[in-house]
Amino acid sequence: MFATLMNWMKANQILPRISDTERQALEAGTVWIDGEFFRGNPDFNKMLQDPYSALSEEEQAFLDGPVETLLKMIDPYTISRTRRVPDEVVDFIKREGFMSFLIPREYGGKAFSTLAISTILAKIGAVNATVGTLVVIPNSLGAAELIKHYGTQTQKDGYLPKLASGEYVPCFGLTEPTAGSDAASIKAEGEVFKDGDTIKIRLNFRKRYITLAPIANLATIACALHDPDNLLGKGEDIGITCVLVERGTPGFESGDHHLPIGDPFYNGPLIGKDVVVPADNIIGGPEKAGQGWRMLMEQLAGGRAVSLPAGAVGGARMLSAVTGPYSMVRQQFGIPIGRMEGIEDKVGKIAALTYMMEGARVHACSAVDAGEQPPVVSAVLKAYTTELTRQLSIDGMDVFAGAGVMQGPNNIVGGGYTSAPVGVTVEGANIMTRTLIIFGQGATRCHPYALKVVNAVEQDDAGAFRDNLVGWIKHFVLGIGRALTRSVTRGWTVSVPDVHPETRRYYRRLGWSASRFALLTDLAMFAIGGKLKARGALTGRYADALAWMVLATGALRRFEAEGARREDLPLVHYSVNFALAQVQQAFEGIIANFDGVLGSLMRGLAAWWVRINPVGRLPNDTMAHKAALTIQADGEQYRRLHAGVFMPDAAQPGAGRLLQTFRLLGEAQPVLNKLAVAQRQRKLPRGSAETVVDEAVKLNLISREEADRVTAAHAARLNAIEVDVFTPAQYFDEDKGTDGIYFGAPPNSEAEDQPQRRAA
């Protein structure tokens, strides 16, 4: 009976067909907390035992030393105008080992942890992405990582020391005009031939969007390798292969630039016309020919959780570090704009969702360091942190308003806003990642039975098919009961770990959400089957539900790992409620978009029940207010939340002068409170604080020293809210540089509170 059923399922394509490239992707890496959610009954005690690591002393010293020194050398505005990274910056990066983080020590590398690499990339990228890519690319998917894991000993000995020292600057050539998201269909060709006694490869390719291509002198080219004479003994069509090509090789063209939006990082095309290299240039040597796709999938399994999420979360943390202060420095209608509920709502959102993303980043990187290689969670981190940071950058622009719109050295948030599409697009566009990878790969790989059933059908193994299908049916029936019970009890039957009393409700709701998610997953796989891959809009909603459960887990894991600090509860409340509201929205969208008889049934009673019994609702105004307060005062919590974010010197334009003003206002706040009380008691006339300080001194309500604090804070506030002004010569000729830029009203203007002219 089971053999007949198996053949019928195969004939009618009930189960998805898996290509060779898909199978290599499915078999790469490991299943981590994503499997807990697909199972429908997450073990939160086990999840809370997952590592949530800290940097080693050596790694922290590097972050506090060379990284700080590097960032102080950078002038982001000049780099954006000239589109050049100064030679002294590049030399420092090479000399201090910034290109060697993942290279073993025996080859001159630093062998830093994944968490350290991510943390360093986050700190640098938030200041300047152009400089950041000089560190990102050598420490992500490319020559060093591939040679480290798959290279021959000769390749390791020859290339890794030079990559560690920066003598070789690498780039990775994968994307082509006709092969972007569908990278497995690359047209780049390599043909194996014999030249005397030496086996060689003739390459022809045209790559684009390759970061560092204009300055790289070592390219890894992914190509479809053909061997018409079977010289390598692997047949005629060998498959995707990674081949090393050095600059200067005849026929290899590089050096031209694309011009990316936002920060103008080095990016351009690579062109090869009859480029001939030895077969030994295949990463791993000739015996690894045809294994390029497997190499890429194995390294991306955990690697997607590193560079792009680091850039996104680093940008969000910098945004949080300046938006809270700006909302208190900038005043309108006699009060800081951060005390207005419209502004407060955006500040609270930035603070809380940044807290959540940072928790998810550290949680995932810690898992990779512990041996996990979770492709689904990595894809979640890449897609959702980059998209969420793009949304938060819009919120930040709204808070800064004109100060975010007017460009110049003092614009703090404009660069992140314009650069946000880069993270969303590269290393797998988010649309593809959301609609194809996260659930398309996750539903098969992370489900407790799906892949086993598919494998049994493909292998014509009736016994394995019977055992796993019966197991799947039992899982489905138990899932129905579990989902109904948790829905009726609103999660009270979920096993909750011993955590802070105010967060217990969130574990119940996540457990309830997981049971609903698992049931809906089984329904989709039974009802839609092999056609599910074509239903991208539907699978994207499943991806949303999974992703927001993963992100909420990151916030909760961070809260526990950092000692369950009560003052951080506003960030947990806002972020987890926000995440659960997105899960609820995803469930409603899933139920509304099933087809056929099942769809009709679900759009009736099931849709009604899910709407009136939601797993989550958006945060309310009180939550937003309390979350905003966490980053609107210069105290221990603000500094702790932004530890590791680069804080420029007070003399620096933009963030430097803003944060100095924020500190001065913090020091003056007790005095401002005294003045406000005196005004309410009618001991002082009404008016702004700086206009009544002299009277307050005369009445002995405050000391002269206290009055000076208020005066200094006021002067700093006026300076901090100014934007850049350019002379006509500077405005129309970008080659003029930044000398002579003045802030605020032009010289000789009669504008009130005109700041002193000074160079940027």
Side-chain angles (χ1 to χ4, degrees), residues 31-106:
V31 177
W32 184 41
I33 61 172
D34 41 351
E36 297 288 329
F37 292 113
F38 275 98
R39 191 167 60 89
N41 191 27
D43 184 344
F44 291 117
N45 281 302
K46 176 184 174 184
M47 292 162 71
L48 286 175
Q49 291 173 3
D50 286 338
Y52 192 92
S53 306
L55 303 185
S56 69
E57 290 185 6
E58 178 189 5
E59 292 165 344
Q60 188 64 52
F62 189 88
L63 193 72
D64 296 337
V67 174
E68 282 282 321
T69 302
L70 171 65
L71 296 179
K72 289 177 181 178
M73 296 171 66
I74 296 172
D75 180 348
Y77 184 67
T78 299
I79 290 174
S80 72
R81 288 169 67 91
T82 63
R83 300 172 187 165
R84 291 183 184 276
V85 178
D87 290 343
E88 59 268 24
V89 173
V90 177
D91 291 342
F92 183 83
I93 287 172
K94 292 179 178 181
R95 184 173 66 252
E96 296 297 323
F98 279 82
M99 294 183 171
S100 73
F101 297 156
L102 54 75
I103 295 174
R105 296 179 188 276
E106 58 264 34

Side-chain angles (χ1 to χ4, degrees), residues 83-299:
R83 300 172 187 165
R84 291 183 184 276
V85 178
D87 290 343
E88 59 268 24
V89 173
V90 177
D91 291 342
F92 183 83
I93 287 172
K94 292 179 178 181
R95 184 173 66 252
E96 296 297 323
F98 279 82
M99 294 183 171
S100 73
F101 297 156
L102 54 75
I103 295 174
R105 296 179 188 276
E106 58 264 34
Y107 299 103
K110 294 192 175 296
F112 279 171
S113 66
T114 301
L115 177 60
I117 295 172
S118 171
T119 304
I120 294 168
L121 298 184
K123 187 168 185 174
I124 297 173
V127 175
N128 185 254
T130 305
V131 174
T133 55
L134 292 171
V135 184
V136 168
I137 299 305
N139 292 292
S140 58
L141 182 64
E145 186 166 31
L146 295 176
I147 291 172
K148 169 186 169 182
H149 289 285
Y150 308 104
T152 64
Q153 193 58 51
T154 299
Q155 289 171 344
K156 292 176 180 179
D157 293 339
Y159 285 107
L160 290 182
K162 294 180 179 180
L163 286 163
S165 68
E167 181 177 345
Y168 277 131
V169 176
C171 66
F172 183 67
L174 179 62
T175 306
E176 302 175 0
T178 58
S181 296
D182 184 16
S185 65
I186 58 177
K187 302 297 182 184
E189 292 188 347
E191 182 176 335
V192 181
F193 69 99
K194 200 163 188 178
D195 182 11
D197 294 330
T198 305
I199 298 176
K200 296 183 177 180
I201 301 171
R202 182 180 294 107
L203 295 163
N204 286 279
F205 54 86
R206 183 185 172 202
K207 304 288 184 178
R208 67 176 182 178
Y209 304 155
I210 311 304
T211 302
L212 295 194
I215 63 169
N217 54 11
L218 179 65
T220 305
I221 302 297
C223 67
L225 190 63
H226 305 284
D227 186 1
D229 298 320
N230 196 24
L231 297 173
L232 301 181
K234 292 176 175 283
E236 182 175 345
D237 293 316
I238 295 177
I240 295 174
T241 302
C242 295
V243 182
L244 295 166
V245 180
E246 297 185 29
R247 173 173 279 189
T249 303
F252 180 37
E253 301 176 19
S254 64
D256 290 339
H257 292 256
H258 300 308
L259 181 56
I261 194 170
D263 284 336
F265 60 91
Y266 298 138
N267 187 284
L270 296 173
I271 298 173
K273 298 178 181 178
D274 293 329
V275 177
V276 175
V277 297
D280 287 340
N281 279 31
I282 296 172
I283 290 182
E287 57 270 26
K288 289 289 196 300
Q291 297 187 32
W293 188 250
R294 179 178 65 82
M295 294 177 185
L296 302 185
M297 291 302 99
E298 287 178 353
Q299 297 313 307

Side-chain angles (χ1 to χ4, degrees), residues 73 90 196 227 249 251 443 525 530 610 612 702 733 735:
M73 296 171 66
V90 177
D227 186 1
T249 303
M525 297 181 80
V610 167
I612 69 167
I702 61 173
D733 186 355
D735 290 335

